[in-house]
């Protein structure tokens, strides 16, 4: 099963971790300079949840944001 929320369709996101070096201008330096930009992915926090879907019990993967909303019926 893929890493996709069954309710909202949330998937992983892309981003980066920027490494900076130097002394900030407001601290008396010449500014922060970018040394490295490492690409990374932000994974979705998926949990397996048993829900009632029209009388049948299904196990689906839901993100924690959807679990907190409570817009489903637990089995």
């Amino acid at each position: 099963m893929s890493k996709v929320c069954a309710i909202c369709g949330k998937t992983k996101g892309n981003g980066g971790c920027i490494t900076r070096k130097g002394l900030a201008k407001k601290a008396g330096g010449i500014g922060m300079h970018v040394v490295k930009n490492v690409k990374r992915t932000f994974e979705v926090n998926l949990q397996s949840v048993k829900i009632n879907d029209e009388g049948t019990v299904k196990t689906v993967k839901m993100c924690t944001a959807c679990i907190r909303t409570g817009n489903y019926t637990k089995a």
Side-chain angles (χ1 to χ4, degrees):
M1 191 177 225
S2 61
K3 294 186 176 182
V4 179
C5 178
I7 305 299
C8 66
K10 188 185 289 186
T11 59
K12 67 180 181 178
N14 294 323
C17 182
I18 298 173
T19 304
R20 291 184 173 92
K21 185 178 180 182
L23 190 62
K25 286 187 177 180
K26 64 181 179 181
I30 60 170
M32 301 292 287
H33 298 288
V34 175
V35 175
K36 187 186 319 186
N37 188 359
V38 179
K39 299 298 180 186
R40 58 161 292 194
T41 58
F42 294 91
E43 298 292 338
V44 184
N45 189 1
L46 293 177
Q47 307 292 323
S48 294
V49 179
K50 288 185 180 181
I51 62 171
N52 280 330
D53 187 29
E54 299 174 2
T56 60
V57 176
K58 289 185 177 179
T59 302
V60 296
K61 288 192 175 182
M62 295 173 58
C63 65
T64 54
C66 292
I67 292 173
R68 284 195 304 267
T69 61
N71 294 335
Y72 60 96
T73 307
K74 283 189 177 180

